[in-house]
Amino acid sequence: MALDPRWPLALLRGAAPVALGLLLWVAMAGGEQERQQTLKGPPGAEGGRMTERRRHNELIMAALREAAETDENVAQRRVPWQK
């Protein structure tokens, strides 16, 4: 049984896109860890923003707590709220 001379060419044509995909994947994945570190940033770099965010979350939790404790529709209240 003789090997068809077109077989190696067909194999090369099929393997080329796979190899190109692997090369692109390696190129993109190489910088992923560095990008994650950049996004993470040093802890405490944005201290003012974090305290502002905590205060905002506390206000939201207080509003949710109050809404859970009352039968009144707190969504219809005028701003600023008064207890």
Side-chain angles (χ1 to χ4, degrees), residues 12 20 30-31 43 57 64 72 80:
L12 183 65
L20 180 62
N57 287 346
L64 289 173
E72 180 187 352

Side-chain angles (χ1 to χ4, degrees), residues 35-57:
R35 187 180 72 84
Q36 289 292 333
Q37 289 297 326
T38 303
L39 289 175
K40 191 177 193 180
E46 298 182 23
R49 185 178 288 192
M50 289 297 289
T51 56
E52 181 181 325
R53 180 58 119 185
R54 281 192 192 104
R55 177 70 180 137
H56 183 259
N57 287 346

Side-chain angles (χ1 to χ4, degrees), residues 45-80:
E46 298 182 23
R49 185 178 288 192
M50 289 297 289
T51 56
E52 181 181 325
R53 180 58 119 185
R54 281 192 192 104
R55 177 70 180 137
H56 183 259
N57 287 346
E58 288 172 5
L59 290 173
I60 290 174
M61 289 306 292
L64 289 173
R65 218 175 287 115
E66 181 182 353
E69 292 171 355
T70 184
D71 289 333
E72 180 187 352
N73 187 353
V74 294
Q76 300 296 324
R77 287 187 182 172
R78 296 224 181 259
V79 176

Side-chain angles (χ1 to χ4, degrees), residues 11-42:
L11 186 60
L12 183 65
R13 284 184 180 167
V18 173
L20 180 62
L22 279 172
L23 286 173
L24 288 173
W25 181 75
V26 167
M28 296 300 289
E32 181 68 17
Q33 188 174 9
E34 182 181 328
R35 187 180 72 84
Q36 289 292 333
Q37 289 297 326
T38 303
L39 289 175
K40 191 177 193 180

